[in-house]
Amino acid sequence: MTATTHEPRPRGLKGLLERGPGGPFDERSWRSPIRGPWLTSVLALVLLVGLLVLIVTGLLSYAAYDPRLGGSNDQTPQAGLLARYVWFDWFTSPSWLYRVNQGVHVLLGIALIPVVLAKLWSVAPKLFEWPPVTSPAQALERLSILLIVGSILFLIVTGTMNVQYDYAWGFSFYTGHFYAAWVFIAAFAAHVALKLPVMLRSLRGTSYWSVDRAATVPEPRDPDHLVSPDPLPASISRRGALGVVGGGSLALLGLSVGQSIDPLRPTALLSPRGQHVGDGPNDFQVNTTFGQIGVDPTETGASWRLLLVGPSGQQVSLRREDLLTMPMRTEELPIACVEGWSTSRAWTGVRLRDLAGLVGGAGSDSVFVESLQRGGAFSTMSLTGKQIRAGKTLLALKVEGVDLSLDHGFPARMIIPAAPGVRNTKWVKALTFGGQA
Amino acid sequence: MSRTSADDTRVTGGPFRRLYGASPWHLVALLACFALTAYAVSRLLEDLPVLLRIALWFVGAALVWDLVVGPALALADRLLRRLLGRRAGERQRLRVPALNYVRIPGLVSLLLLAVWLPVILQRSEQVFRSKAGLSQDPFLGRWVAITLVLFAASAVAYVVAVLRSRRRPSS
């Protein structure tokens, strides 16, 4: 198959076109003996399963904001048909739903990074194929490969930077991650459709799993030219290389998983959410501190009022003492951030549906929640009728039996079962109930 | 331009296949992919500066990986092989190559650095302080400590492997 490389070579432009510019474009410069369809296919199988989980959890995470409510709920108002799959109101039970969904999305996403990089390494010679174009089919396929590589690296970079508060991109994380995800879905689907048979054929053929280093030799030359024509002696077996990739995944996972599991929190050494936040019942992670929102602490004191507005304009204004005389409920509910970290606490407060009842909003199809916070993408937030009527949705006044700290939303905050953390508006000042569906 | 033999074997069959280079389904799958991509891009046309910045990061990520990170890693590996190869030449009696005991902890350490670069370099200290009320101070020290542990564990594994290979009768 490689007979051409040993023939006498024409010179000049014709020679350049046939031979290529050398360097990485010369396939003999790719010398790893373990590159080949089998290694690529094993990595592809892991990614096929893992990336499907990431796509599903990502789409669910988007739906969990109930973007149909508009306003802050919809961070990508131009999405058009791309958001049309959200035809349902987000779930209110089981209460751990978003916690698990987002924990899986972020932790699995981080753990798959070494697998993605290994997969890209395994097919790197294809990037430098010569001649670069041999047919319209191949040209189009190479374009789709640019889309899949660009989008997956973009999703990795924006995802990992976002959980570390590094917003160097000049666009909203939601916008970038959402649209790139759709490009990725498109390119991933096409890639799977075209390459699944190649992967399956390769995995059904000879297995190289049990071959040790001393016996590691290249696979037979393949039609995709992944196998090196001029390999070096093996410095690691294929199984060893896969072990390194898996070890990298485990290292990333092991150093991050504590951000989502309370007893393991101190083990999250590199995840930003492994640290303590003060001590006592209010020692759990904060996103948006009181100091950031530009509000004078006196506004949360005796002068604070909760304004309830009903569907036909009725208004009720309540002091914190008034709320404390209403029937109190205590619910164990998670708080789970889109960034993947989460925890669970016992919250005490008034049911949202009881508050709705005070202004005739028990049957409302939505409620508009406003915070004391000035500005900021999430100082207001809407909830669905389903969330109003869910028995566990609270306007929480206390956590673990003590008053909320200022950072956790004193005097009162929303806490909604199964919803993203950012929907649990803090420092609530007004609830406006909408009409009936 | 000459075709490779692989392409020649692929390009057989009807006129479509001869012109296009693959089956019609190949074209259908790719056109569907490009249509969805074009739609996603079209939704962002109203906000052109954002679209351009997204495109920059999109293409930039692929270019940095393919043309900077990949070659740099390959070069580093080549240098490491040369360095360790020479040492091995000096001491032929060592039958356990040291290469993987250096590059595996090195690779894992680089991976952790790459993924957690923003907090390790404290790139977003101010935002993190105001949003989360936390500091990024600890992370550089933790990464260094983890790296040292990785290399120490690898060194122990290497010594064990060398001792084992000495105990075993040479074949």
Side-chain angles (χ1 to χ4, degrees):
Chain A
M1 263 184 195
T2 56
T4 52
T5 54
H6 299 297
E7 281 166 6
R9 291 155 170 217
R11 293 183 184 181
L13 186 62
K14 187 164 180 283
L16 180 71
L17 284 176
E18 282 192 14
R19 225 179 23 250
F25 294 94
D26 182 345
E27 61 176 352
R28 291 168 305 173
S29 69
W30 299 92
R31 304 195 63 188
S32 170
I34 62 172
R35 252 198 204 97
W38 185 80
L39 188 70
T40 297
S41 297
V42 173
L43 295 166
L45 181 62
V46 175
L47 290 176
L48 176 63
V49 177
L51 293 174
L52 277 174
V53 174
L54 285 188
I55 289 172
V56 171
T57 51
L59 291 172
L60 287 176
S61 180
Y62 182 83
Y65 281 65
D66 283 311
R68 295 187 301 166
L69 292 171
S72 300
N73 295 67
D74 186 3
Q75 292 289 311
T76 56
Q78 309 301 323
L81 296 175
L82 301 178
R84 222 37 97 67
Y85 74 90
V86 187
W87 77 92
F88 54 91
D89 285 345
W90 183 245
F91 311 98
T92 52
S93 76
S95 59
W96 44 261
L97 184 64
Y98 190 76
R99 182 182 196 186
V100 169
N101 184 80
Q102 207 56 16
V104 168
H105 186 76
V106 173
L107 291 171
L108 181 63
I110 290 173
L112 283 180
I113 291 172
V115 188
V116 169
L117 298 183
K119 174 76 160 58
L120 292 179
W121 174 86
S122 81
V123 294
K126 299 281 288 172
L127 178 69
F128 298 96
E129 265 179 317
W130 196 269
V133 175
T134 54
S135 68
Q138 188 231 18
L140 289 183
E141 195 169 332
R142 292 198 76 178
L143 186 60
S144 77
I145 296 296
L146 171 68
L147 293 181
I148 201 170
V149 173
S151 61
I152 200 163
L153 292 175
F154 181 97
L155 293 169
I156 288 173
V157 168
T158 51
T160 52
M161 283 174 75
N162 186 59
V163 305
Q164 297 172 78
Y165 300 81
D166 188 347
Y167 312 123
W169 326 291
F171 49 82
S172 142
F173 167 73
Y174 290 94
T175 309
H177 211 69
F178 177 79
Y179 287 98
W182 276 109
V183 174
F184 174 72
I185 289 170
F188 177 72
H191 192 61
V192 171
L194 298 182
K195 291 296 191 184
L196 192 68
V198 180
M199 182 191 86
L200 292 176
R201 205 180 310 137
S202 180
L203 292 176
R204 285 198 196 113
T206 314
S207 168
Y208 291 84
W209 182 255
S210 57
V211 179
D212 68 5
R213 190 184 71 222
T216 297
V217 290
E219 291 177 62
R221 294 304 309 280
D222 62 316
D224 287 318
H225 293 238
L226 292 177
V227 177
S228 171
D230 185 20
L232 290 167
S235 61
I236 193 165
S237 66
R238 291 178 181 81
R239 183 179 51 193
L242 290 171
V244 174
V245 176
S249 292
L250 282 180
L252 285 170
L253 187 64
L255 292 168
S256 311
V257 70
Q259 69 174 4
S260 305
I261 300 172
D262 282 316
L264 296 179
R265 195 159 307 269
T267 66
L269 287 175
L270 292 178
S271 154
R273 294 308 191 150
Q275 306 181 57
H276 283 286
V277 186
D279 47 20
N282 277 290
D283 170 21
F284 58 97
Q285 302 297 313
V286 174
N287 205 341
T288 307
T289 59
F290 184 74
Q292 197 200 357
I293 65 167
V295 170
D296 193 299
T298 56
E299 291 186 49
T300 66
S303 66
W304 178 81
R305 296 286 182 279
L306 174 70
L307 180 66
L308 302 176
V309 182
S312 37
Q314 318 91 301
Q315 295 198 355
V316 172
S317 179
L318 297 169
R319 297 172 303 165
R320 198 164 189 273
E321 301 84 79
D322 302 328
L323 290 166
L324 284 166
T325 62
M326 291 180 67
M328 286 286 134
R329 299 280 301 199
T330 297
E331 300 286 353
E332 176 83 20
L333 290 174
I335 184 148
C337 186
V338 65
E339 293 153 14
W341 58 266
S342 59
T343 187
S344 185
R345 287 292 184 278
W347 309 88
T348 303
V350 185
R351 278 176 171 181
L352 181 59
R353 66 182 186 203
D354 293 345
L355 292 169
L358 295 179
V359 288
S364 290
D365 62 357
S366 69
V367 59
F368 183 66
V369 183
E370 289 170 85
S371 170
L372 288 174
Q373 180 179 3
R374 304 201 220 299
F378 296 104
S379 55
T380 63
M381 179 55 71
S382 292
L383 304 176
T384 61
K386 193 170 171 180
Q387 287 167 326
I388 295 172
R389 285 177 282 281
K392 289 185 173 180
T393 303
L394 302 179
L395 180 75
L397 306 171
K398 299 176 177 211
V399 62
E400 301 290 332
V402 304
D403 280 348
L404 295 168
S405 68
L406 270 180
D407 282 342
H408 284 305
F410 183 87
R413 77 172 301 166
M414 294 309 309
I415 191 84
I416 303 136
V422 74
R423 299 192 68 184
N424 301 309
T425 307
K426 299 195 278 195
W427 314 291
V428 174
K429 69 170 180 192
L431 299 170
T432 305
F433 293 89
Q436 297 190 10
Chain B
M1 272 189 255
S2 71
R3 289 185 183 281
T4 62
S5 54
D7 291 320
D8 286 338
T9 54
R10 244 184 261 157
V11 185
T12 51
F16 182 87
R17 197 173 257 275
R18 246 176 324 202
L19 269 175
Y20 174 66
S23 79
W25 292 112
H26 185 277
L27 184 59
V28 169
L30 289 177
L31 288 182
C33 159
F34 297 140
L36 183 47
T37 299
Y39 181 75
V41 171
S42 77
R43 301 310 297 178
L44 282 171
L45 281 177
E46 269 184 41
D47 201 349
L48 202 58
V50 163
L51 177 60
L52 291 179
R53 270 179 235 133
I54 291 177
L56 184 73
W57 279 79
F58 191 103
V59 177
L63 288 182
V64 167
W65 169 257
D66 286 327
L67 302 180
V68 181
V69 180
L73 287 176
L75 188 67
D77 195 53
R78 201 165 290 187
L79 291 176
L80 190 64
R81 278 164 184 264
R82 196 166 293 174
L83 194 74
L84 294 174
R86 203 177 293 148
R87 297 277 303 278
E90 287 163 14
R91 294 189 261 161
Q92 277 295 336
R93 62 204 168 82
L94 292 188
R95 278 175 298 163
V96 182
L99 181 63
N100 288 338
Y101 294 91
V102 179
R103 67 178 176 181
I104 292 172
L107 206 55
V108 175
S109 168
L110 280 180
L111 175 71
L112 295 175
L113 177 64
V115 171
W116 298 115
L117 196 72
V119 290
I120 289 172
L121 296 186
Q122 292 188 267
R123 281 179 45 82
S124 44
E125 173 73 16
Q126 273 197 319
V127 185
F128 194 52
R129 220 175 249 286
S130 77
K131 295 251 324 171
L134 296 168
S135 169
Q136 298 177 337
D137 266 341
F139 297 112
L140 176 60
R142 287 179 183 180
W143 174 73
V144 171
I146 291 167
T147 300
L148 291 176
V149 168
L150 287 171
F151 275 99
S154 190
V156 170
Y158 181 68
V159 170
V160 170
V162 169
L163 292 178
R164 271 191 181 172
S165 79
R166 281 189 186 162
R167 216 171 289 162
R168 221 177 289 143
S170 52
S171 47

